[in-house]
Amino acid sequence: VFGALIVVVFSFVATYNRLVAAAENATRAWNDLDVLLRQRHDEIPKIVEMCEPHMPHDRALLDKLLETRAAVFAARQTRDPDTLSRAEQSLRKAAAELVIVRAASIPELAASPAFGLVTQRHGTLDLELAAARDRYNAAVRSYNARLSGLPGRVVALLGAFPPLRTLDFEPSGT
């Protein structure tokens, strides 16, 4: 009986430690994603600033991009994957409309080396964000898999380990 109790306690402790490690991995992946979101957050005003002189008639589009940027910032603060996914989709759509559709139709803006560099950086950040999102989602799936089996399910209930949600947004192609 004493041996069985030792095995149960050891199993509980080992499972708890694996859940803590998986939760830390998901947190680390979220933080990596957040760093990239902050970097892109800082790039949006540069794009708007370069477009303003060439697009005075499209002020509403520029304002929309800044508003969606603010929504992503607010969603980052909530750390809610669903809210962040919706805000990201809106930002990607607004950025694509500005950079691919509108700005590309203005020859002097499209030919500007500075605009090319800023939009290239924005596109690179999009790709890095997609990779970071994939790493976060993999960490979440691993963590949730540990929660779903035994003794993980019991340890999760006793240790207050809630399931996590994945992020769902695609690169905009900018």
Side-chain angles (χ1 to χ4, degrees):
V1 172
F2 182 70
L5 184 59
I6 295 290
V7 168
V8 168
V9 168
F10 178 75
S11 176
F12 179 86
V13 169
T15 301
Y16 180 85
N17 287 338
R18 283 192 294 272
L19 284 173
V20 167
E24 285 297 318
N25 191 27
T27 299
R28 199 172 323 116
W30 179 276
N31 290 339
D32 292 346
L33 179 78
D34 192 54
V35 166
L36 293 169
L37 287 169
R38 272 186 270 134
Q39 288 175 6
R40 191 183 54 194
H41 189 266
D42 294 341
E43 293 294 319
I44 298 293
K46 294 175 188 174
I47 293 173
V48 170
E49 185 179 316
M50 289 183 174
C51 290
E52 276 179 323
H54 303 281
M55 304 172 72
H57 54 284
D58 279 333
R59 186 70 228 173
L61 179 60
L62 298 173
D63 289 342
K64 180 181 176 186
L65 185 60
L66 292 173
E67 288 170 14
T68 58
R69 171 187 177 249
V72 169
F73 181 78
R76 279 182 39 237
Q77 302 306 311
T78 68
R79 297 183 66 100
D80 176 50
D82 295 334
T83 304
L84 181 58
S85 292
R86 283 190 302 278
E88 267 297 306
Q89 292 288 21
S90 294
L91 179 65
R92 289 165 187 275
K93 182 179 176 187
E97 183 178 351
L98 175 67
V99 174
I100 295 172
V101 178
R102 301 286 177 84
S105 67
I106 301 171
E108 62 272 7
L109 182 58
S112 165
F115 184 73
L117 287 174
V118 169
T119 56
Q120 181 181 12
R121 173 70 179 143
H122 183 79
T124 300
L125 283 170
D126 256 1
L127 295 175
E128 291 173 5
L129 278 166
R133 180 210 56 216
D134 291 345
R135 284 189 301 276
Y136 171 76
N137 286 343
V140 166
R141 284 190 294 276
S142 174
Y143 169 81
N144 287 340
R146 291 192 183 279
L147 293 180
S148 65
L150 286 176
R153 186 173 291 174
V154 174
V155 173
L157 289 172
L158 296 174
F161 290 93
L164 299 175
R165 293 187 316 268
T166 58
L167 283 168
D168 182 31
F169 58 81
E170 294 300 320
S172 64
T174 58

